[in-house]
Structure formats: C-alpha cells, structure tokens
Amino acid sequence: MIENPSGLLNLITHGVYVIGVRDGERRNAFTAAWVMQVSFDPLLLAISINPGHYSYQLLKAGGVCTVNVLGQDQLAVAAHFGRSGADKMAGFDWYESSTGAPVLNCSLAYLDCRVSHYAEAGDHRIAVCEVLDGARLHAGQPLLYRQTGDMDGSRQYYKV
Ligand SMILES: Cc1cc2nc3c(=O)[nH]c(=O)nc-3n(C[C@H](O)[C@H](O)[C@H](O)COP(=O)(O)O)c2cc1C
C-alpha cells in the first residue's frame, strides 16, 4: 500500500460526478471522482470504475453513459449515488439523453458519452468515452472531491 502522508493524494484535484448508465431497460447511476478529459479530437473522457460495481455491468453491456456534474450544494446527491441500492434513480427527476443513458435534472451540466474502449488500471478499469452531446442545465460552481471528506471510505486504502 502506498503512503499518503498529510493527504498527499488529496492534493490531486477532482470534481464529483454522477455517472448514469443504461443497458436496455436497466438504468443506474453512481458517484465518481476519477473522471478527466483525455483528448480534444476526438473529445474523450476517461472514467475510472471499479469492475465490482453493478454500474460496471450496465456500462460494459450498454456501452453508453452520462457524466452529470454536481454542484457545490449537492453533497447529499453524491452520497446517495455513492452507495449501492435498489432503484437509486427513484425520487430523482431524470430523462434519457440521446444515447439513452439517464441525465439528472438537478446536475449543473451533463455530457452524453459512448464507450470507445477500456484500459486496465490495477483494481479499476478505465472507460475511455467519446463525448457525443451535452448541455449546461443550471448555473453554479462544481463540487470538489476534497469537499466530500471520507464519504467514499477511501481513507482506509491509504497508509497514513
Ligand atoms: C465522492 C465519491 C467518489 C467516488 N468515486 C468513484 C470513482 O471514481 N470510481 C468508482 O468506481 N467508484 C467511485 N465511488 C464509489 C461508488 O460511487 C460506489 O461504490 C457506488 O456504490 C457504486 O454504485 P453501484 O453499486 O450502484 O454501481 C465514489 C464514491 C463517492 C462517495
């Protein structure tokens, strides 16, 4: 295990996103911080996903996703989608993007993506996704991963 003295890894900045996935009639969404742009042309995003997640099954089978950008006041949304559970979309307003993946109405913005390919990354897989569409939905500043504290329980994976 690597050392993480004084939260060294926490100085790598990330936003907080809800990744909407779809395979046929099955839909789900999960919170992710490990998301970044990796190409201009074509426009590509990389999403690092734990292959043990239910959402990974839908992403792998369906091949599409949305990246929903959370705002500063949406810690509760990050926590909700950061847990596994039945029908996590219930209680949220959402609609289908052009790929069919779910867009959260409450998010600041979304990007609609199709998976291009995967890369192995230790205990995660990187889904490299082509951005096909997207829109700004609300004004506001994006939530930052460091503001979520230990919401994802990741502290246990670092030796401090
Ligand atoms: C703030 C935060 C950031 C997270 N970032 C990621 C991430 O980048 N990749 C990932 O695979 N899981 C990440 N997770 C964990 C998943 O959201 C969590 O395991 C979720 O339960 C998976 O949903 P599912 O079981 O419905 O598929 C994060 C959780 C939180 C709270």
Side-chain angles (χ1 to χ4, degrees), residues 9-10 12-17 33-36 143-146:
L9 272 293
N10 304 347
I12 305 288
T13 51
H14 303 278
V16 184
Y17 310 93
W34 290 354
V35 175
M36 66 184 288
L143 182 63
L144 300 178
Y145 177 55
R146 61 180 306 154

Side-chain angles (χ1 to χ4, degrees), residues 46-87:
I47 301 169
S48 183
I49 179 170
N50 181 330
H53 291 344
Y54 171 61
S55 300
Y56 178 72
Q57 294 175 28
L58 301 197
L59 184 66
K60 199 82 208 290
V64 295
C65 66
T66 51
V67 176
N68 297 271
V69 182
L70 294 187
Q72 284 280 316
D73 59 348
Q74 293 184 310
L75 275 174
V77 180
H80 175 84
F81 287 102
R83 286 188 287 267
S84 300
D87 200 4

Side-chain angles (χ1 to χ4, degrees), residues 69-71 74 106-110 135-143:
V69 182
L70 294 187
Q74 293 184 310
C106 64
S107 59
L108 289 186
Y110 78 93
R136 180 88 187 198
L137 302 178
H138 301 284
Q141 294 300 314
L143 182 63

Side-chain angles (χ1 to χ4, degrees), residues 75-131:
L75 275 174
V77 180
H80 175 84
F81 287 102
R83 286 188 287 267
S84 300
D87 200 4
K88 286 159 74 178
M89 306 304 295
F92 284 83
D93 280 339
W94 61 272
Y95 62 92
E96 277 188 9
S97 67
S98 48
T99 63
V103 174
L104 278 188
N105 268 324
C106 64
S107 59
L108 289 186
Y110 78 93
L111 296 157
D112 193 20
C113 303
R114 185 177 309 285
V115 178
S116 160
H117 59 279
Y118 289 89
E120 298 289 328
D123 53 15
H124 280 55
R125 303 256 155 83
I126 296 173
V128 179
C129 301
E130 185 165 5
V131 179

Side-chain angles (χ1 to χ4, degrees), residues 21-58:
V21 291
R22 175 218 183 173
D23 175 41
E25 289 310 304
R26 297 188 298 166
R27 291 177 182 80
N28 196 43
F30 73 102
T31 302
W34 290 354
V35 175
M36 66 184 288
Q37 182 177 345
V38 291
S39 166
F40 285 123
D41 187 16
L43 191 51
L44 297 175
L45 293 180
I47 301 169
S48 183
I49 179 170
N50 181 330
H53 291 344
Y54 171 61
S55 300
Y56 178 72
Q57 294 175 28
L58 301 197

